[in-house]
């Protein structure tokens, strides 16, 4: 695991905190495309993967297109949606990134089970 993945694993590895079981470094093979990938994290209960993207100086759109192609293949052929987070964000504040991912997947119950906004009554 990369340093960023290790920092996220501190949260993802705690099933009680995350609200679902998470597996790291999961190989996935797509037979129809004759391609394989290693997913950084897999959350089977949500049919979702989490990938950490590493922006490189001068990186072309080709690298971005390749990542999107991988995401599309995994979603279309294996039924797994991919959430991508940037490495600098994970390194700076892994807890906030983990909380955001947990919330995005619907695993955060908002503490007491209720969250929302209060609207003024007419």
């Amino acid at each position: 695991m990369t340093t960023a993945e290790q920092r996220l694993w501190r949260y993802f590895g705690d099933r009680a905190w995350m609200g679902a079981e998470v597996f790291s470094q999961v190989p996935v093979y797509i037979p129809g495309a004759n391609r394989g990938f290693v997913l950084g994290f897999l959350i089977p209960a949500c049919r979702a993967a989490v990938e950490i993207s590493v922006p490189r100086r001068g990186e072309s759109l080709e690298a971005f297109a390749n990542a999107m192609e991988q995401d599309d293949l995994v979603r279309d052929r294996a039924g797994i949606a991919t959430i991508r987070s940037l490495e600098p964000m994970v390194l700076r504040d892994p807890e906030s990134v983990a909380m955001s991912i947990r919330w995005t997947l619907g695993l955060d119950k908002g503490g007491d089970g209720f969250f929302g906004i209060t609207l003024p009554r007419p």
Side-chain angles (χ1 to χ4, degrees):
M1 276 197 270
T2 66
T3 301
E5 289 172 331
Q6 289 173 7
R7 290 187 182 176
L8 270 186
W9 185 246
R10 290 180 191 157
Y11 301 95
F12 287 178
D14 182 349
R15 187 176 183 176
W17 184 89
M18 189 62 183
E21 192 166 18
V22 179
F23 299 94
S24 65
Q25 306 300 302
V26 178
V28 173
Y29 179 70
I30 311 295
N34 200 25
R35 294 187 56 194
F37 308 101
V38 176
L39 303 175
F41 300 100
L42 177 66
I43 304 116
C46 300
R47 300 191 59 83
V50 175
E51 290 289 322
I52 308 302
S53 296
V54 182
R56 300 193 195 302
R57 179 176 284 251
E59 187 173 56
S60 67
L61 289 177
E62 183 179 346
F64 181 71
N66 288 339
M68 296 305 293
E69 178 186 359
Q70 173 185 324
D71 295 351
D72 290 345
L73 272 173
V74 171
R75 183 192 63 234
D76 295 344
R77 304 281 176 92
I80 300 169
T82 303
I83 297 172
R84 288 194 174 267
S85 188
L86 294 173
E87 183 185 56
M89 293 173 58
V90 175
L91 292 173
R92 188 174 347 153
D93 193 355
E95 182 177 15
S96 291
V97 171
M99 288 174 67
S100 174
I101 291 168
R102 184 177 68 173
W103 187 85
T104 299
L105 294 173
L107 299 172
D108 188 350
K109 304 303 182 211
D112 62 359
F114 179 80
F115 56 94
I117 60 172
T118 304
L119 298 174
R121 294 182 183 232

